[in-house]
Amino acid sequence: EGLLAATVERGFSVECISPALAEVSQLLASAEEDPSSQRVYRTLREALLDAATSGAGADYQRVGAELPVTTLSAPVFDRHGSVVLNIALHPFRKLTAAAVRKLGRELLGATAPLDARRR
């Protein structure tokens, strides 16, 4: 309930991956630069995206903490208050709380013109 309340208050969700998946994502980052690995890179990145889980999002606010953030997402509402779209960023890297807040503000700024509640 606390995680949900924090998500509603800030307007976007934060999803983090486990330490083991974080290591895999770091290895994957090295494959991104290799032109001969692009097909494998895209496939593994999609698999990693599918494996991402929420639950550690509340921990990103610890002072000095850097957590492997998978997704920041913000809903877009229609005039009736129903979610009609979810826009997400997938950094797949360790971020500080300050970096998460900055990206979250930018995400909310991008969704605001689409959101009937914020027009």
Side-chain angles (χ1 to χ4, degrees), residues 29-76:
S30 65
E32 181 179 19
E33 301 300 319
D34 181 3
S36 65
S37 300
Q38 288 304 297
R39 189 168 150 195
V40 171
Y41 167 78
R42 287 190 303 272
T43 302
L44 291 175
R45 184 170 170 93
E46 286 298 315
L48 187 59
L49 182 64
D50 289 342
T53 59
S54 62
D59 293 340
Y60 85 88
Q61 295 189 71
R62 288 180 295 165
V63 176
E66 277 195 340
L67 292 177
V69 177
T70 307
T71 306
L72 283 83
S73 61
V76 175

Side-chain angles (χ1 to χ4, degrees), residues 12-36:
F12 62 93
S13 67
V14 179
E15 297 178 16
C16 299
I17 56 178
S18 70
L21 286 178
E23 288 182 37
V24 171
S25 69
Q26 289 173 348
L27 290 172
L28 188 58
S30 65
E32 181 179 19
E33 301 300 319
D34 181 3
S36 65

